[in-house]
Amino acid sequence: MLHAVPSLPAEVPQAPARIMAGFYLRCLREGQGIRLEDAARAVGASMAAVSRWERAQSPIRQDALSRLLRRYGVAGADSSFLAGSLPPQNYDRRTYEEQGEGRRAPHDSWADVAGDQATARHIALMRSASEVIQYCMLVPAGLRTQNYELVVLDPEVCVIPDEPVLGLPTWVHHVPWAEGQQRTVLLDETVLFRGRDTHPATVAGQLRYLAGLMIQDDSDRQGPVIRILPLSEVRFIHTVGPAAEVTIHGHRMVVRVGLFPSYETGSGAARIISAGLHDAVRAAWSREATYEALVNAAEGMERRAAS
């Protein structure tokens, strides 16, 4: 079990709502092919200022955010929610004490409850992040076979999709996976047998597909690193459930999805979950053991499907 809490980061973390607002602006602008110069002209600011807003390197004014969102075709409740989520212009986390069991300062945690726009923002973030460490109970987006994806994204069982599906905002369908993304996927050991009674052939194909991806897993970090996290010893992350640590524009956030996506930076809770994910990386099976487990599990599923 994990007990130690890592020390505070050297840099003061940005509020997650500010990070996601800037990231959203960039996605909207690039998705519509709008130049940085045109965006700057729309709000009477410099291109450097808009670029800093998009990367959460400086705070954006609520009025500037609202004007840019209108320029990109977002208004009404969606715009009001995002503008209202921003911390004050002069917000400085260092001036607040951490409160509660989660040791949070104001604006350390942000729940994105904006429906389809929230879902789209989460999908775009996971695709665009430069670094990702995620613990999953199911094979995640970007690593799935078509048949497995149909099962996972079945509208009758999938509350929040993690891939751009019909009905989500248009802009998210144009967000590609980041080139060179460093992605580590920790699959819960139950992935090896989940679905064997209902979709054995589909799961077998998925496990073999993952094994094939692992052949590309080399020291040059080309493609995702896939590992199985065993159940033989309960780790802290087992008690948390699916979670991820992502880095976007140099900002590190802890991400979780329940009824809606939530993001956290700087708090004691964020530090503990981050430490739990890194602890799980160290505790995961080796590349060789993971590959062997995937192949053996696939063979077992294939025998079940044929019987």
Side-chain angles (χ1 to χ4, degrees), residues 261-284:
S262 63
Y263 307 92
E264 191 145 358
T265 61
S267 68
R271 297 195 298 274
I272 291 173
I273 293 174
S274 175
L277 285 165
H278 287 268
D279 171 72
V281 171
R282 294 187 291 271

Side-chain angles (χ1 to χ4, degrees), residues 48-79:
V50 175
S51 179
R52 288 195 298 270
W53 293 341
E54 290 183 348
R55 289 165 173 74
Q57 293 172 344
S58 62
I60 183 172
R61 305 185 313 273
Q62 286 192 358
D63 66 301
L65 174 62
S66 298
R67 288 167 65 186
L68 281 172
L69 289 175
R70 282 198 302 272
R71 173 69 177 84
Y72 303 148
V74 179
D78 288 332
S79 176

Side-chain angles (χ1 to χ4, degrees), residues 7 78 112 127 159-160 171:
S7 59
D78 288 332
D112 193 353
R127 287 171 166 243
V159 178
I160 298 182
W171 65 267

Side-chain angles (χ1 to χ4, degrees), residues 242-260:
E245 179 188 86
V246 304
T247 302
I248 185 75
H249 297 154
H251 305 288
R252 188 171 295 174
M253 291 192 294
V254 165
V255 182
R256 301 180 68 191
V257 179
L259 295 177
F260 41 77

Side-chain angles (χ1 to χ4, degrees), residues 214-296:
M214 291 194 66
I215 296 175
Q216 306 170 33
D217 175 7
D218 56 30
S219 58
D220 293 331
R221 293 290 296 251
Q222 298 299 314
V225 172
I226 302 167
R227 298 290 184 268
I228 298 291
L229 182 63
L231 293 170
S232 55
E233 181 179 350
V234 175
R235 318 301 300 186
F236 175 78
I237 202 64
H238 284 124
T239 69
V240 173
E245 179 188 86
V246 304
T247 302
I248 185 75
H249 297 154
H251 305 288
R252 188 171 295 174
M253 291 192 294
V254 165
V255 182
R256 301 180 68 191
V257 179
L259 295 177
F260 41 77
S262 63
Y263 307 92
E264 191 145 358
T265 61
S267 68
R271 297 195 298 274
I272 291 173
I273 293 174
S274 175
L277 285 165
H278 287 268
D279 171 72
V281 171
R282 294 187 291 271
W285 286 343
S286 67
R287 177 181 182 276
E288 293 74 18
T290 296
Y291 178 86
E292 183 178 2
L294 290 171
V295 172
N296 290 341

